[in-house]
Amino acid sequence: MKPIYLDGCATTRVDDEVLEAMMPYLRDEYGNPSSPHAMGKRARRAVDAAAESVARLIGAGPGEIVFTSGATESNNIALLGVFAHGDTAPVNGVFCPTDHKSSLAVGQALAARGVGTRTMRVRPSGQVDLGHLAGLLDLNTRVATAAWVNSEIGAVQPVRAMAALCHEAGALLHVDGAQAAGRIPIDVRDTEPDTLSLSAHKIHGPKGVGALYVRPEIRHRLRPIMYGGGQHALRSGTVPTHLVVGLGKACELAAGRWDAEWRRVLELRAVALDVLTAGFPGLRVNGDPDVSVPHVLNVVLPGVRGESLVSSLRSVALSTGSACNSGSQEPSYVLTAIGLSPEDANSSVRLCLDPRMSFEDLTLGVETVVERARALAGVALDRVTLAGSEPAGLRPAGSGPAAFTPAGSGPAAFTPAGFTPVGGEPAGVEEVTPL
């Protein structure tokens, strides 16, 4: 039986149209796009066409697109590239504690070199506290960074406001757009990030390729982090034509269908929440749906260890959070940053909804998750009962929050009834040496 896939934030299936567009450049048109002969020129034209498709998706120009191996490399170029090798504090960068590790690990590396690193405060919704960010920025700040859409709870950051604060202080704003591309409209001219990363495999393209948008006005402030044949001033290496063509096709398709897919996923989310809340009383939703994409649904299942639930399912694929953290036994740093206790964070799972899946598959998948979660909670209940106490966090059937209903088609499309998002106001950190 084919697994029901609820982990689209980790990766997505390559579209048939994307694969078809790639195949000629693996078999017949395999010329190097840097070569001067006819095959090389045809490959170059394909690469240039892909750059135009990527640029259209985010409202940029094709000359502002740098092809990379993925969002991790793009993040590294954007963040490391603004610091000289000898830079030390008071020169600093500002990082968001809920970001992907490909950004946070850069902060750790910079801190080890003596560069100052500062951490933004995030609210229980997952959004950055803009007032706190403004207080962290100074004339020595080279760059601030945040993910436009968080991969674990779906929170959407106020990029335009963040860019304005950074530019007022003379700093750059880098945005990790890996989870935003294809899910929300992106217009870099309007929102004004200085750099933005994306990855093909998050939008039904191939793994191993991504892009970095660089605003022309700040290009001189970035340095390459690796050197070679100079295929691009910021990124050397032979351009993999087939992968780049796949990214371009994926962006072309995403640009044409994101609006319809947004409406579809609103309906899927409503169904998923109905099944979850009816089947598991006491379930709580992490984050705030009013400021999040509907594609990501992260819930606390009291009395259930998330890792145990995920590993025990054979017919459903979901996760406890970002795939880069799947080997860690620690609670999700994203969830603890928004105020969850380690216990609640360890009892959380993430469902990423694919707008193309059927309601029947979704219902079956979520029902399977609920059935297994109830069984695991029952084991926990039996153990606590034997110890002579009532399990924390479990409530009688019928006392859970009312189901969510879609009310529109934007990020604020869900109106919770009788529901309070999980998470208290976390304490802010002014200066953090290791992130």
Side-chain angles (χ1 to χ4, degrees):
M1 176 182 174
K2 183 179 178 182
I4 296 171
Y5 191 70
L6 297 173
D7 199 23
C9 293
T11 196
T12 58
R13 177 185 179 275
V14 175
D15 267 342
D16 292 342
E17 292 173 78
V18 171
L19 186 59
E20 289 171 11
M22 294 170 60
M23 290 308 294
Y25 299 95
L26 283 166
R27 292 176 172 165
D28 303 316
E29 295 294 342
Y30 52 83
N32 187 321
S34 296
S35 297
H37 49 64
M39 286 183 69
K41 289 177 180 177
R42 288 196 295 270
R44 170 52 57 187
R45 285 195 291 271
V47 168
D48 290 344
E52 291 179 1
S53 295
V54 175
R56 275 194 295 270
L57 180 65
I58 62 173
E64 298 156 11
I65 303 300
V66 183
F67 290 113
T68 68
S69 62
T72 290
E73 184 186 351
S74 297
N75 290 341
N76 274 257
I77 294 172
L79 296 174
L80 288 175
V82 296
F83 294 95
H85 184 71
D87 279 345
T88 56
V91 172
N92 68 82
V94 182
F95 294 81
C96 180
T98 57
D99 273 5
H100 191 269
K101 282 188 174 178
S102 61
S103 295
L104 297 181
V106 172
Q108 293 171 337
L110 289 169
R113 282 167 33 180
V115 174
T117 56
R118 302 173 179 181
T119 302
M120 308 172 195
R121 179 187 296 144
V122 292
R123 300 184 183 280
S125 65
Q127 284 194 318
V128 167
D129 181 331
L130 293 174
H132 186 255
L133 171 61
L136 296 179
L137 298 166
D138 60 32
L139 294 178
N140 292 303
T141 304
R142 294 285 175 80
V143 67
T145 182
W148 202 322
V149 171
N150 182 268
S151 64
E152 291 196 26
I153 60 175
V156 181
Q157 297 297 351
V159 170
R160 184 187 294 107
M162 294 176 70
L165 290 174
C166 289
H167 296 162
E168 184 178 357
L172 304 183
L173 175 67
H174 170 62
V175 174
D176 182 342
Q179 299 292 344
R183 291 195 172 105
I184 63 173
I186 297 176
D187 185 343
V188 294
R189 297 281 188 268
D190 177 56
T191 50
E192 296 191 318
D194 296 290
T195 52
L196 178 139
S197 59
L198 56 88
S199 201
H201 76 100
K202 306 294 189 182
I203 54 172
H204 299 278
K207 296 176 180 67
V209 65
L212 175 67
Y213 156 77
V214 180
R215 190 161 66 92
E217 293 83 355
I218 63 91
R219 166 64 190 83
H220 65 284
R221 295 172 65 174
L222 286 182
R223 302 172 179 84
I225 61 172
M226 66 180 188
Y227 298 88
Q231 284 82 354
H232 189 282
L234 282 176
R235 207 274 187 182
S236 292
T238 301
V239 177
T241 309
H242 63 295
L243 293 177
V244 167
V245 167
L247 169 59
K249 189 64 176 180
C251 287
E252 176 191 327
L253 295 172
R257 64 191 177 202
W258 80 264
D259 188 46
E261 290 192 345
W262 179 280
R263 292 193 297 270
R264 168 76 174 180
V265 83
L266 285 173
E267 297 171 349
L268 290 169
R269 180 184 170 110
V271 169
L273 279 165
D274 279 345
V275 176
L276 286 166
T277 54
F280 202 100
L283 172 144
R284 303 190 299 278
V285 176
N286 293 324
D288 183 349
D290 285 345
V291 295
S292 303
V293 295
H295 307 68
V296 186
L297 182 57
N298 195 306
V299 297
V300 182
L301 300 166
V304 178
R305 187 167 180 85
E307 289 288 353
S308 299
L309 173 61
V310 169
S311 63
S312 68
L313 292 166
R314 295 292 177 266
S315 60
V316 182
L318 75 161
S319 71
T320 56
S322 174
C324 70
N325 302 321
S326 60
S328 172
Q329 298 302 308
E330 296 298 315
S332 162
Y333 65 83
V334 172
L335 298 183
T336 55
I338 65 170
L340 266 70
S341 67
E343 180 184 5
D344 278 347
N346 279 327
S347 294
S348 297
V349 294
R350 178 191 70 180
L351 290 75
C352 296
L353 307 179
D354 182 351
R356 306 169 196 193
M357 74 187 314
S358 68
F359 287 108
E360 292 76 17
D361 280 352
L362 175 66
T363 301
L364 176 59
V366 178
E367 285 178 344
T368 302
V369 171
V370 167
E371 180 181 359
R372 185 61 187 149
R374 288 173 66 93
L376 291 171
V379 170
L381 175 61
D382 290 342
R383 288 174 179 167
V384 175
T385 302
L386 287 172
S389 62
E390 188 175 348
L394 292 173
R395 298 204 295 269
S399 64
F404 288 53
T405 52
S409 61
F414 282 92
T415 305
F419 154 75
T420 303
V422 173
E425 185 73 47
V429 181
E430 295 293 333
E431 288 276 351
V432 173
T433 15
L435 286 166

